Amino acid sequence: MSAKNTAMGKGCVAVTKYFLFLFNLLFFVFGALILGFGLWVLLDNKSFIAVLQESSDTVKVASYILIGVGSLTMAMGFFGCIGSIYEVRCLLGLYFTCLLLILVAQITAGVLIYFQRDRLAYEMDSIIKTVIITYPNNRTTEHPLDYIQRTMKCCGFTGPGNWSENPVVKNSTQVQYSCSCRNDSLPGVDKALAGLCSTLSSDPPVYETGCKTTIETWLKDNLGVILGICAAVAVVELLGMILSMCLCKNVGREDYSKVPKY
């Protein structure tokens, strides 16, 4: 009976070991995705991120954090694979500790973002209005802003009235508006993708909805997906912690001769 129990115990350890190995392989890939996203945020100059980067160091700091977390996650996945497949307890313990710290950091970041949401919204409002006022003198932010207004079919941050604060629009003898705000469903022939356009009408043919409203609507429509992804990540991390602890408790003393030497 004891031999049967021993065999079952070894079987459970083997199953746990290979499940943890596959889990860490996925974790390594997940870390690579985070690292890639952080590099995209840092290097991209054709999206809304570039607009925020130009006026705020917060996004740059966030990109460096993403790069650091992605690199750490890849390293954790690698050491987790080695620790599980070769049953090295110290690596499994280190892996569990790092995973716990990352989970705590994610929860802390989520809480801070939730309680600082009004401040973040105010900062974004200031950034976009500054970009509009300096338009079109800064190409780094000009193209991303045009892209956002054109693809999301919105105008300004709170509405097209934000463009009246632009010195070029304000001091022009003609009625001018942002070309990327152009509502294609309205009559007219001027359909430039960027820059400032003129019209003889006192009512510019632009979208009436501000980009703030459009972004908030998108977030509300996709809130379930965002929360689902966050919950899935937390569950995967908890599963990794449980598997690493189970394996760590069931393996014997470290046998470093199992670890390949290069």
Side-chain angles (χ1 to χ4, degrees):
M1 189 73 175
S2 60
K4 185 178 180 181
N5 289 337
T6 302
M8 289 180 63
K10 288 182 178 180
C12 288
V13 170
V15 170
T16 303
K17 179 170 68 174
Y18 289 109
F19 261 114
L20 188 59
F21 174 79
L22 290 174
F23 170 82
N24 281 287
L25 191 60
L26 292 174
F27 210 67
F28 182 85
V29 174
F30 179 65
L33 292 175
I34 294 177
L35 176 61
F37 181 71
L39 290 172
W40 172 74
V41 170
L42 183 65
L43 302 175
D44 180 67
N45 60 358
K46 293 184 179 179
S47 72
F48 184 65
I49 298 296
V51 178
L52 299 180
Q53 270 192 1
E54 185 69 17
S55 304
S56 176
D57 292 330
T58 304
V59 177
K60 291 182 181 178
V61 172
S63 66
Y64 289 126
I65 291 174
L66 286 171
I67 292 171
V69 169
S71 302
L72 178 62
T73 303
M74 289 178 68
M76 280 177 48
F78 174 76
F79 288 122
C81 286
I82 298 297
S84 60
I85 205 71
Y86 293 106
E87 300 179 9
V88 182
R89 295 184 69 182
C90 67
L91 288 180
L92 291 171
L94 179 63
Y95 171 78
F96 174 87
T97 303
C98 291
L99 204 55
L100 178 62
L101 291 175
I102 286 180
L103 183 61
V104 171
Q106 288 173 341
I107 294 173
T108 303
V111 171
L112 287 175
I113 289 173
Y114 177 78
F115 285 106
Q116 295 290 323
R117 62 189 186 279
D118 293 334
R119 180 181 175 183
L120 291 173
Y122 175 78
E123 183 178 351
M124 184 176 290
D125 178 63
S126 300
I127 290 170
I128 302 301
K129 287 182 178 178
T130 301
V131 171
I132 289 174
I133 290 173
T134 57
Y135 187 97
N137 297 323
N138 192 331
R139 285 191 168 274
T140 304
T141 56
E142 175 184 343
H143 294 303
L145 179 61
D146 286 328
Y147 176 80
I148 292 297
Q149 291 187 138
R150 188 168 57 251
T151 56
M152 299 193 75
K153 298 183 177 181
C154 56
C155 191
F157 188 64
T158 56
N162 293 144
W163 282 97
S164 62
E165 300 174 15
N166 180 280
V168 178
V169 175
K170 186 186 297 184
N171 298 324
S172 175
T173 55
Q174 295 179 309
V175 177
Q176 291 194 323
Y177 61 94
S178 172
C179 298
S180 56
C181 286
R182 178 73 164 82
N183 190 338
D184 293 335
S185 63
L186 298 176
V189 293
D190 51 331
K191 294 185 179 181
L193 299 179
L196 295 174
C197 294
S198 302
T199 180
L200 297 176
S201 172
S202 59
D203 189 16
V206 296
Y207 297 110
E208 295 297 327
T209 305
C211 293
K212 177 183 179 181
T213 303
T214 306
I215 293 171
E216 288 176 347
T217 302
W218 182 89
L219 289 174
K220 288 178 181 178
D221 292 341
N222 294 276
L223 183 61
V225 176
I226 296 171
L227 292 177
I229 292 174
C230 293
V233 170
V235 169
V236 168
E237 290 172 344
L238 286 172
L239 180 61
M241 292 167 62
I242 293 171
L243 288 175
S244 63
M245 271 293 96
C246 290
L247 185 59
C248 192
K249 290 178 66 176
N250 285 284
V251 298
R253 290 186 175 182
E254 290 91 335
D255 183 4
Y256 293 103
S257 64
K258 293 181 180 180
V259 181
K261 297 177 175 60
Y262 300 99

